């Protein structure tokens, strides 16, 4: 009985992958990264600015039908923001804090594709999950000594004996929206918007959510002609 079940499982798996037409590839590009930041009680939305960043990694394209596919990926993705904090009095110099965060990110996009010219135009959406691996926060001003903080991805607040360390929650999750064009020979161009939905700050009275606009180029191997 176990032998029959094993043979049936193998047969179904082979049939699924035969139908699915899985292709693998690489992808890399530019991130215009920033954050939505709210601080204080009652909360005040901070004025954040974009920082240039990048992403690079692997993708798989699983054709579910002629027009639909599932496209998971695994990326090294850099995020962050620049935040200007005004001085406490009028005319006092502001302080600039620049945050760089590096994640391993797993997006899973559901795509609709349509034949157009020498390839297919596509659009889709899906969730993503990311795990923080490294980061820096640089604080600069004209009249004070510049400071640099190492980011530790732990869900705890800064203690007095770790003044050079800032903490960020290790997990980030949200939604991803993507559109682009795929040539028959495998070259892919795309734009995507990543919207963080989880608060990555462990500090009281503070909310931080990642977001970025990405522009990518990729190549899918073993494309079916």
């Amino acid at each position: 009985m176990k032998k029959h079940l094993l043979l049936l499982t193998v047969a179904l798996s082979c049939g699924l992958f035969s139908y699915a037409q899985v292709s693998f590839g690489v992808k890399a590009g530019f991130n215009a990264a920033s954050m939505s930041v709210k601080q204080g009680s009652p909360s005040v939305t901070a004025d954040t600015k974009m920082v240039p960043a990048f992403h690079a990694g692997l993708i798989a394209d699983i054709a579910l039908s002629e027009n639909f596919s599932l496209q998971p990926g695994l990326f090294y993705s850099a995020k962050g923001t620049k935040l200007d904090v005004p001085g406490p009095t009028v005319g006092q110099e502001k302080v600039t804090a620049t945050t760089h965060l590096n994640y391993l990110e797993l997006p899973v996009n559901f795509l609709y594709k349509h034949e157009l010219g020498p390839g297919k135009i596509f659009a889709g959406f899906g969730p993503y999950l990311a795990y923080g691996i490294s980061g820096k926060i640089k604080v600069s001003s004209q009249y004070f000594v510049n400071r640099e903080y190492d980011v530790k991805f732990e869900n705890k607040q800064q203690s007095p004996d770790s003044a050079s360390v800032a903490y960020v929650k290790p997990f980030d999750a949200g939604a991803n929206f993507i559109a682009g064009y795929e040539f028959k020979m495998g070259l892919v161009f795309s734009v995507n918007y990543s919207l963080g939905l989880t608060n990555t700050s462990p500090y009281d009275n503070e909310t931080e959510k990642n977001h970025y606009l990405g522009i990518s180029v990729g190549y899918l191997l073993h494309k079916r002609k």
Side-chain angles (χ1 to χ4, degrees):
M1 183 66 177
K2 291 182 179 179
K3 182 178 180 180
H4 291 161
L5 288 175
L6 177 61
L7 290 175
L8 179 60
T9 301
V10 171
L12 289 173
S13 300
C14 291
L16 174 62
F17 279 100
S18 176
Y19 175 76
Q21 296 295 331
V22 182
S23 301
F24 298 95
V26 294
K27 188 176 179 181
F30 169 80
N31 291 347
S34 190
M35 291 180 175
S36 61
V37 178
K38 294 183 179 180
Q39 299 171 322
S41 181
S43 63
V44 176
T45 301
D47 181 19
T48 57
K49 296 180 174 63
M50 181 272 293
V51 294
F54 73 97
H55 61 271
L58 305 174
I59 56 173
D61 190 87
I62 306 169
L64 304 176
S65 67
E66 183 178 355
N67 296 108
F68 293 95
S69 70
L70 191 67
Q71 193 174 92
L74 180 62
F75 293 93
Y76 177 93
S77 185
K79 307 179 184 183
T81 194
K82 181 179 290 187
L83 174 64
D84 291 330
V85 181
T89 61
V90 177
Q92 187 171 346
E93 190 205 12
K94 64 185 177 182
V95 176
T96 299
T98 303
T99 301
H100 296 281
L101 303 174
N102 302 312
Y103 289 87
L104 284 179
E105 184 168 298
L106 177 66
V108 181
N109 294 314
F110 183 70
L111 304 182
Y112 172 77
K113 300 183 179 183
H114 183 73
E115 294 278 354
L116 182 66
K120 293 181 179 180
I121 190 171
F122 64 86
F125 65 94
Y128 80 81
L129 179 65
Y131 185 82
I133 54 176
S134 65
K136 293 278 188 183
I137 298 176
K138 296 181 180 180
V139 179
S140 60
S141 65
Q142 183 178 355
Y143 302 113
F144 298 94
V145 177
N146 296 341
R147 296 292 302 273
E148 186 172 286
Y149 300 85
D150 291 321
V151 171
K152 288 190 176 182
F153 287 92
E154 300 179 25
N155 190 10
K156 65 180 184 179
Q157 300 194 21
Q158 186 172 345
S159 58
D161 61 348
S162 58
S164 63
V165 173
Y167 290 100
V168 174
K169 291 180 181 178
F171 286 101
D172 179 29
N176 191 51
F177 304 88
I178 187 170
Y181 192 84
E182 175 187 328
F183 289 91
K184 291 180 180 179
M185 47 79 71
L187 190 64
V188 180
F189 295 95
S190 64
V191 295
N192 74 288
Y193 183 71
S194 175
L195 177 63
L197 299 176
T198 59
N199 178 20
T200 60
S201 174
Y203 298 101
D204 293 335
N205 300 322
E206 183 176 80
T207 300
E208 296 181 348
K209 296 180 181 180
N210 289 303
H211 59 86
Y212 69 82
L213 177 66
I215 302 174
S216 310
V217 60
Y219 190 82
L220 285 170
L221 305 173
H222 308 301
K223 296 295 294 180
R224 183 177 63 175
K225 305 296 183 181

